[in-house]
Amino acid sequence: MSKNLSELSARKGLKDNLFDRMGKLARQNGTPEKDELERLADEFLIGTANTFGTTTFYDFMKPENKSKKVYVCNGTACVCAGTQDEVIDVLKQNFKAEEIGHMTCLGRCHENSAFHYEGTNFSGEAIKHFDIKNTDIIQKSAKDNYIVKANGKQILTKPFTSIDEYYAPFKIALKTDAVQVLEEIKTSNVRGRGGAGFPMGLKLEFCRNAQSDVKFIICNADEGDPGAYSDRYLLEERPHSVLFGMLISGYVTGASHGVLYIRAEYPESVAVVQEAIDALKEKGLCGKNIQGSGFDFEFKIIQAQGSYICGEETALINSIEGQRPEVRVRPPFPAQQGLFNKPTIVNNVETLATLHYILENGGANWQELGTEKSTGTKLISLDSFFKNPGIYEVEMGTSLSEVVYEMGGGFKAPVKAMQIGGPLGGLVPVSKINDLEIDFESFSQNGFLLGHASIICLPEDFPIIKFIEHLFDFASYESCGKCFPCRLGTKRGQELAQKAMTSDYKIDRILFDDLLNTLEKTSLCAHGGGIPLPVKNALIYFEDELKHYFN
């Protein structure tokens, strides 16, 4: 991290944001032109190496992106479903090979065959009707549908009513001491839904106690975990739940700026959220002196440009500042020194969406749901291998078997394992389904990770060694490159798996275990540190299948 670059970027702040400007320069040709980046560097008083270094990092700004016209999803759910070769074959009838790029993931895991064309996502049967000459057919096939259900009380999936009714608890909060509002959140013991499960109330309190006249609330809407589309659901179908959570977070911490960092792979989400923000402005529920309370809060959407590591909060902060999205060393933590070196809260979409229920019904009411340490409800994303794929809201503590067999309806075809919680989540063999419950503790105690709670199925005929190679390849490609263990280790893992898979080479098990332990213990963040978990799960539960590839 460079404090100086943070300060230089802060001169124009969010209104004329450096990273936002870079993204807009890339829209026409797929990458900014050299002279444009030089002018941008001069304007922001930073070196040209910084503007070039930043833009060449992202999928949708790097020079290699210049000729791309259409993008095929290469996320784990689509890879395991085996649909993407057909998608590429059809697209090759409409585009040159060099015009076809990739995206990871489009959040269409419930029906696969996903691709992106001219700012719109497609999936399912859409590829069968795709014809570049017929734009009417293309647009009609863009909308997807999926099941949305709850196994108990609807909280995150509860239908939206109206702005006046929905924001009534916010208006009440504005007349209540912010400390009291924060106490309700702490009482709920709601924990972050993005992976680590850190108590939200404590994080907000750290930021509140930080001394600064400028603070920020960031919504991490960079839902990059392949297999997950619950954040996409909230952004597109329940956007006000997210905006409400940001407003309350701002009120209790003293922050007056809110940033929604929405991934480029979710273009529809950007449009829907902006529409919701505009509706709030019309009602006087954001901006200056909201409802005469003296509380100011402005929203800003920044569209990401294709980088999984930006899901890590410090890399995301660097990204907004227009720096390369490399992970920062902590401490200091963002709650004390984050965006533009100011106290900052970063929460993911689902975490923020929980606050409406807590403010409306009280923290104790939320705490009564779920388990003692994992309170409330959780959204689960089920992929296309389930008979009933979709988004399910379950109370924490619900058995995994209920999710798989009752809500999901079981599997369409034989499945041997499920990756739960994204690429850094655990690989759960079907034999363990009856042993797990949907909560942080159950997964941790059994050697897995709940994470985002997305579920991707590995069919019986999908080789585990291929899955390991895919994981390492993903981790290597998406590494920020700041620390040696992750930058080098993930690539070495991919090379070993690929060599064993494509030749008679045998992997030295002692060497491989040493590689995994080095990644786990010495990587700077959870990207390199987390990728060994599913690999170790595979080595434990699929030893017979993998023994042919190891010495």
Side-chain angles (χ1 to χ4, degrees):
M1 169 182 101
S2 170
K3 289 183 65 175
N4 291 335
L5 288 174
S6 297
E7 295 294 340
L8 287 170
S9 181
R11 291 170 60 250
K12 294 194 176 186
L14 294 174
K15 192 171 183 180
D16 188 16
N17 180 257
L18 176 57
F19 181 69
D20 208 26
R21 292 273 298 278
M22 290 173 175
K24 289 174 180 176
L25 288 176
R27 284 180 186 172
Q28 186 172 356
N29 299 315
T31 185
E33 298 297 332
K34 181 179 178 181
D35 59 340
E36 292 175 330
L37 290 177
E38 289 174 347
R39 284 197 295 271
L40 204 59
D42 289 340
E43 182 181 340
F44 280 82
L45 303 180
I46 60 177
T48 54
N50 297 108
T51 54
F52 279 90
T54 295
T55 54
T56 54
F57 186 95
Y58 296 88
D59 285 347
F60 310 127
M61 289 200 289
K62 62 176 58 175
E64 297 94 312
N65 190 53
K66 190 168 186 177
S67 62
K68 301 295 184 286
K69 292 182 179 179
V70 64
Y71 300 86
V72 178
C73 180
N74 66 349
T76 309
C78 282
V79 169
C80 289
T83 60
Q84 301 312 85
D85 287 344
E86 180 184 352
V87 172
I88 293 172
D89 288 342
V90 173
L91 292 178
K92 282 182 177 178
Q93 298 171 19
N94 294 270
F95 304 95
K96 299 175 183 176
E98 61 269 21
E99 293 176 334
I100 302 174
H102 78 270
M103 280 186 167
T104 313
C105 127
L106 297 181
R108 299 296 186 98
C109 318
H110 57 93
E111 58 185 15
N112 309 125
S113 299
F115 64 100
H116 175 98
Y117 175 64
E118 289 193 342
T120 304
N121 289 339
F122 301 88
S123 56
E125 298 293 311
I127 190 63
K128 296 181 179 179
H129 311 292
F130 186 81
D131 182 356
I132 196 171
K133 298 174 185 176
N134 195 327
T135 55
D136 288 339
I137 292 178
I138 290 175
Q139 289 305 316
K140 286 178 182 177
S141 63
K143 180 64 178 173
D144 66 325
N145 294 290
Y146 48 88
I147 296 168
V148 178
K149 282 187 178 180
N151 72 343
K153 184 179 291 188
Q154 280 189 296
I155 295 176
L156 301 173
T157 56
K158 184 178 179 181
F160 179 72
T161 50
S162 68
I163 288 180
D164 288 335
E165 183 177 341
Y166 193 82
Y167 283 87
F170 173 58
K171 295 175 184 177
I172 293 172
L174 290 177
K175 299 175 183 177
T176 307
D177 187 272
V179 174
Q180 187 177 333
V181 177
L182 178 57
E183 284 303 313
E184 286 297 327
I185 299 172
K186 290 171 64 179
T187 296
S188 73
N189 194 30
V190 60
R191 295 168 63 181
R193 266 46 181 161
F198 190 82
M200 186 187 194
L202 284 180
K203 186 187 283 191
L204 292 171
E205 188 172 48
F206 294 153
C207 186
R208 175 179 174 81
N209 292 338
Q211 298 300 310
S212 178
D213 56 349
V214 177
K215 297 179 182 180
F216 297 94
I217 303 297
I218 297 176
C219 170
N220 181 352
D222 197 43
E223 183 185 44
D225 286 346
Y229 53 102
S230 50
D231 285 1
R232 177 190 156 225
Y233 159 73
L234 290 171
L235 291 167
E236 295 177 11
E237 305 297 334
R238 301 290 186 272
H240 285 288
S241 67
V242 184
L243 300 180
F244 183 99
M246 294 181 72
L247 284 165
I248 291 297
S249 297
Y251 181 64
V252 301
T253 58
S256 56
H257 304 277
V259 181
L260 293 110
Y261 187 91
I262 304 177
R263 61 199 310 255
E265 294 87 345
Y266 289 175
E268 295 89 350
S269 297
V270 174
V272 172
V273 173
Q274 186 59 61
E275 193 174 300
I277 292 171
D278 293 342
L280 279 187
K281 287 180 180 177
E282 289 181 15
K283 291 285 187 176
L285 290 171
C286 63
K288 299 290 184 182
N289 192 25
I290 303 172
Q291 300 285 299
S293 65
F295 172 55
D296 303 337
F297 199 84
E298 299 282 356
F299 288 102
K300 169 78 172 181
I301 294 177
I302 291 181
Q303 193 163 2
Q305 295 298 328
S307 173
Y308 177 75
I309 197 63
C310 288
E312 197 282 335
E313 62 179 4
T314 62
L316 186 156
I317 288 169
N318 269 354
S319 180
I320 295 173
E321 293 179 351
Q323 301 191 56
R324 284 176 68 88
E326 294 180 342
V327 174
R328 296 181 179 183
V329 176
R330 288 164 289 188
F333 293 92
Q336 284 79 41
Q337 185 178 309
L339 183 61
F340 305 135
N341 294 326
K342 302 297 183 181
T344 302
I345 287 294
V346 183
N347 276 127
N348 91 317
V349 170
E350 187 178 340
T351 310
L352 290 163
T354 65
L355 292 187
H356 184 270
Y357 182 87
I358 293 168
L359 266 289
E360 185 176 45
N361 300 280
N365 197 304
W366 174 273
Q367 189 183 36
E368 289 174 2
L369 300 169
T371 68
E372 181 183 356
K373 294 182 178 180
S374 297
T375 60
T377 64
K378 180 78 189 75
L379 294 181
I380 311 289
S381 307
L382 301 188
D383 79 349
S384 65
F385 271 94
F386 289 90
K387 292 179 181 177
N388 304 318
I391 298 292
Y392 292 89
E393 182 176 11
V394 304
E395 192 169 331
M396 285 286 205
T398 298
S399 67
L400 181 59
S401 61
E402 180 182 340
V403 172
V404 171
Y405 298 116
E406 295 180 30
M407 304 185 79
F411 306 115
K412 292 177 182 176
V415 166
K416 60 184 173 185
M418 302 175 296
Q419 183 170 38
I420 302 180
L424 311 183
L427 184 65
V428 180
V430 291
S431 61
K432 293 287 289 182
I433 289 175
N434 292 327
D435 299 337
L436 294 168
E437 295 178 348
I438 303 296
D439 63 60
F440 298 109
E441 288 68 41
S442 175
F443 271 68
S444 177
Q445 290 164 7
N446 282 274
F448 306 112
L449 180 73
L450 180 63
H452 215 295
S454 56
I455 301 182
I456 295 175
C457 297
L458 270 69
E460 283 281 7
D461 60 354
F462 196 94
I464 292 295
I465 189 68
K466 182 178 178 181
F467 180 73
I468 291 174
E469 192 272 340
H470 169 75
L471 281 178
F472 274 125
D473 186 45
F474 174 86
S476 173
Y477 182 84
E478 298 292 353
S479 173
C480 79
K482 184 164 184 174
C483 70
F484 292 115
C486 180
R487 185 174 77 220
L488 301 177
T490 52
K491 186 60 181 174
R492 294 295 87 82
Q494 183 268 331
E495 290 170 343
L496 288 170
Q498 184 181 57
K499 192 173 181 180
M501 188 169 57
T502 58
S503 70
D504 58 0
Y505 175 77
K506 303 289 186 182
I507 301 171
D508 185 318
R509 182 59 189 268
I510 295 176
L511 175 69
F512 196 69
D513 287 346
D514 185 56
L515 172 65
L516 294 177
N517 289 330
T518 300
L519 277 165
E520 189 174 57
K521 295 177 181 178
T522 65
S523 293
L524 186 57
C525 80
H527 184 75
I531 206 69
L533 176 63
V535 178
K536 286 183 175 182
N537 291 154
L539 291 168
I540 292 171
Y541 295 107
F542 296 95
E543 184 179 8
D544 285 346
E545 181 180 337
L546 291 172
K547 64 184 179 182
H548 307 291
Y549 302 100
F550 289 86
N551 276 329

